[in-house]
Amino acid sequence: MSSRRSMGALAAVCVCMFVFVSSARAEDPYRFFDWEVTTGNINPLGVQQQGILINGQFPGPEIDCQTNDNLIVNVHNRLSEPNGLQHRKNSWQDGVSGTNCPIPPGQNFTYQMQAKDQIGSFFYFPSLAFHKAAGGFGAIRIRSRPLIPVPFDPPAGEYTMLIGDWYKTSHKAWHCSYTNFINSRWILALQAMLDSGKQLPSPDGILINGKGPNGASFTVEQGMTYRLRVSNVGLQSTLNLRIQDHNMTLVEVEGTHTVQNTYSSLYVHAGQSLSVLFTANRPPGVYQITVSTRFAKRALNSSAVLRYAGSSATISEPPPPAGLADDIDFSLDQARSIRTNLTASGPRPNPQGSYHYGSINVTRTIRLANSAGRVAGKQRYAVNGVSFVEADTPLKLADYYRISDVFRLGGIPDAPPAGAAAAPRSEAAVMDSDYRSFLEIVFENSEDSVQIWHLDGYSLFVVGMDRGVWSEQSRKSYNLVDAVSRCTVQVYPRAWTAVLVALDNVGMWNLRSEDWARRYQGQQFYLRVYTPSHSFRDELPIPSNALRCGRATNASGSSRTLSRY
C-alpha cells in the first residue's frame, strides 16, 4: 500500500497513511485481513463485464482500523497482480511497479503495515498496468484513538461513498511474464487501446459504491448528523458532489482536519478523499446525492438515494448539476478555502503544537510540467519532457541490490525544457533527493484539461494555486500558515499549483498523474529519497518475504551495512 505512503501489489492511491514499526513499547493491536483476489461478472451500468473482486465483493471490503493498529493483509492472487497502502519508512511494500514485484498468479503475499499517527479517509486500488479500470478498489477508514478527540461531535452514523467514472468495456485475461506485465496478465480492451497508441474515449458513466444511478442508498433519522466519507476512485474525471436540499460541512481531507466551512457542492478530483458532515434537517422524504463530471468533454451524472427513516416517498427525476461544468474560478476559490484546522487535535497524544512549515528554509525548487506528444507514432505523456517506461526490474530492488543499468539517477530534470516542446524522451526516470531536505514543488499546466498529481509516501502542503504562469513573484500569494496537507493535488487548466514537502521518509516513491491513462502512458517518475546512513532508524529492512523478479530474481545479500541506530 502507499502512504502519504501506499500498499503494494494492491496499490493504494490516497492511502496517505504512515506505516511505522515501533519497538519502544508494547505493541499496538493487530488486525488481520485475508483477501482472495479473483475475477467475476459485474454489471454496474447494465452491461455484463468481468471485474476484479476481493473476497467476491465489488468494491472490495473496507479496511476499518484505528490509529497505530498493525495491519496484516494476506493477499491470494487468483488473477494477475493486485496492489497496496502507504508506508512510513517502508516503500518496500508500496505496491507500484517501481518498488514491488507482482504477486504471481496462484500465489499469495502478506503485507505488514502500521497505521502510525494518522487518521482519516482513504482507499486502496490495483496500481499495476491498467487494472484500476477493472475494479479491485475499496475504502480505508482510520479512526482516532478514544483519548484523542476529533473537532466535532460524534455523528449518529458514518457512510462511505466510493465515486468514480466507469467504462462498459469488457476485460480479457491471459498470462505473460513479469517483463511484459504491462501488456498484461489482465488485459482490458481499454489497455489494448492505449497500447496501440490511441486515446481513451469518454467514460460511459459514474459509479457510486460500485452501482449505477440510484443503486446505492443511505438511510438517516430526521434531526441527526452523519459523516460521509467520499473517495474518487475513478480513472480521470473530476466529480462534483452535492446532497439535494442539504448543506455539507467539510471536516477532513486525506488525514487532515480542516477548517469547517459549509458548502452546497464539493469538487472531488480523481484520487482525492474527504469527509463531510450533514444534518438530516429537511422534511421526511427521499432525496438524492448527486455526482456529476466537471471539466469533461461529456457530461455525466449519477445519484444515490438518501432516505429518511419511515418515508415511503419515491425517487423523483434527478436534480440538475450544480453550477457551470467549467467554472474554473469557482472551483479555484473553493480549493483555496480548504485549510487546516490548527485548533484540532491530531492522531498523536498532546502536546503537539502546530507544524510551522512556513518557517522552514526551502532547500530545492522543482518545477514539473506535464506535456503530451507522440513517440514512434504512439501517444505518450511526459513530465519535464521525459516519458516514463517500465524497467525490467523494480527500481527499489535494483537500487538495494546495486543492479546497474536499470534506471539512471537524474533521469528527470528539476525544470521543464526551455523553448518549444520537443518529442518526449522515454526512460525509467528517477529523480534523486536528499533525506530531510525541504522542497518546493511547482506543478505547471499549459494544457486545457485539469491535471491531478499524487506523491506516494508523503503529504504535501498545498500553499498556492492560480491561473497563468508561475514565477518567483507567485510566492507572495502562498499560504504559509494553515495550508491543507494532502497527498493528491489538482492543477487547473493553464494554471499552476505549488506545494511544500519535507522529505522525511526514505525510499523510492512514485510521483504520478492521477489521470490513469496519462500515468500508464508515461506521466510519472520516481523520487529516490536517499540517506547514506542505512539505518533501521531511517528505513525498515527489506522484508523477509519480499518477492523478487526481473534481474533481482537471483540476487542475494547487499553491500550495505544496516545499523539499528
Side-chain angles (χ1 to χ4, degrees), residues 500-518:
L500 299 179
V501 56
L503 296 186
D504 59 356
N505 194 21
V506 174
M508 185 80 71
W509 303 106
N510 190 223
L511 197 160
R512 62 177 177 264
S513 170
E514 282 300 311
D515 181 325
W516 217 244
R518 295 181 75 113

Side-chain angles (χ1 to χ4, degrees), residues 364-373 380-388 408 410-427 429-431 440-447 451 453 511 513 518 522-525 527:
R364 181 180 177 187
T365 295
I366 298 171
R367 294 168 45 223
L368 300 176
N370 49 277
S371 62
R380 296 292 296 178
Y381 295 95
V383 186
N384 287 359
V386 181
S387 185
F388 184 82
R408 180 173 65 87
I412 184 166
D414 280 11
R425 169 172 54 86
S426 297
E427 69 172 274
V430 174
M431 179 180 286
E440 173 188 43
I441 302 177
V442 181
F443 298 100
E444 302 176 350
N445 180 15
S446 62
E447 300 182 43
Q451 301 295 311
W453 295 91
L511 197 160
S513 170
R518 295 181 75 113
Q523 196 166 301
Q524 60 168 312
F525 65 91
L527 181 69

Side-chain angles (χ1 to χ4, degrees), residues 372-398:
R374 301 191 73 81
V375 177
K378 295 184 178 181
Q379 182 67 46
R380 296 292 296 178
Y381 295 95
V383 186
N384 287 359
V386 181
S387 185
F388 184 82
V389 292
E390 298 289 347
D392 61 6
T393 303
L395 311 184
K396 179 66 176 174
L397 288 179

Side-chain angles (χ1 to χ4, degrees), residues 94-320:
D94 191 36
V96 288
S97 60
T99 59
N100 292 92
C101 300
I103 303 172
Q107 297 186 30
N108 72 300
F109 182 79
T110 300
Y111 298 94
Q112 300 183 41
M113 302 156 284
Q114 188 181 21
K116 181 68 174 176
D117 290 343
Q118 191 165 6
I119 55 175
S121 309
F122 312 99
F123 68 97
Y124 62 85
F125 68 94
S127 71
L128 298 185
F130 209 61
H131 301 166
K132 187 180 181 184
F137 47 75
I140 300 175
R141 179 187 303 188
I142 308 175
R143 294 173 280 103
S144 180
R145 287 186 284 176
L147 296 180
I148 309 296
V150 296
F152 48 86
D153 293 334
E158 294 192 5
Y159 291 112
T160 294
M161 278 185 62
L162 300 179
I163 60 178
D165 50 27
W166 191 258
Y167 288 86
K168 296 178 181 178
T169 308
S170 62
H171 313 90
K172 302 178 181 179
W174 65 83
H175 179 78
C176 72
S177 67
Y178 171 80
T179 306
N180 337 325
F181 78 84
I182 214 147
N183 285 325
S184 164
R185 298 187 176 101
W186 252 80
I187 291 285
L188 354 93
L190 296 174
Q191 181 177 320
M193 190 179 300
L194 295 175
D195 289 339
S196 68
K198 300 177 182 178
Q199 296 186 9
L200 295 183
S202 296
D204 295 309
I206 298 171
L207 301 189
I208 301 176
N209 288 349
K211 299 178 174 63
N214 293 322
S217 63
F218 309 95
T219 301
V220 295
E221 297 281 348
Q222 189 178 31
M224 306 302 287
T225 297
Y226 295 85
R227 181 174 184 172
L228 188 62
R229 297 175 182 262
V230 183
S231 295
N232 185 338
V233 299
L235 294 177
Q236 62 188 43
S237 300
T238 292
L239 299 175
N240 185 269
L241 170 75
R242 67 191 181 107
I243 305 175
Q244 183 182 5
D245 297 338
H246 294 71
N247 286 327
M248 299 173 288
T249 300
L250 183 67
V251 295
E252 175 253 334
V253 295
E254 293 153 28
T256 299
H257 286 130
T258 62
V259 172
Q260 294 179 15
N261 296 324
T262 298
Y263 303 89
S264 59
S265 69
L266 275 166
Y267 287 80
V268 190
H269 300 272
Q272 292 185 338
S273 298
L274 54 82
S275 289
V276 298
L277 297 178
F278 71 94
T279 300
N281 56 6
R282 306 300 297 169
V286 174
Y287 299 85
Q288 289 178 298
I289 304 176
T290 304
V291 180
S292 309
T293 55
R294 291 292 185 268
F295 312 113
K297 295 179 181 178
R298 179 185 177 191
L300 297 171
N301 299 286
S302 190
S303 56
V305 177
L306 180 67
R307 182 180 298 277
Y308 280 55
S311 173
S312 59
T314 57
I315 299 172
S316 60
E317 289 296 317

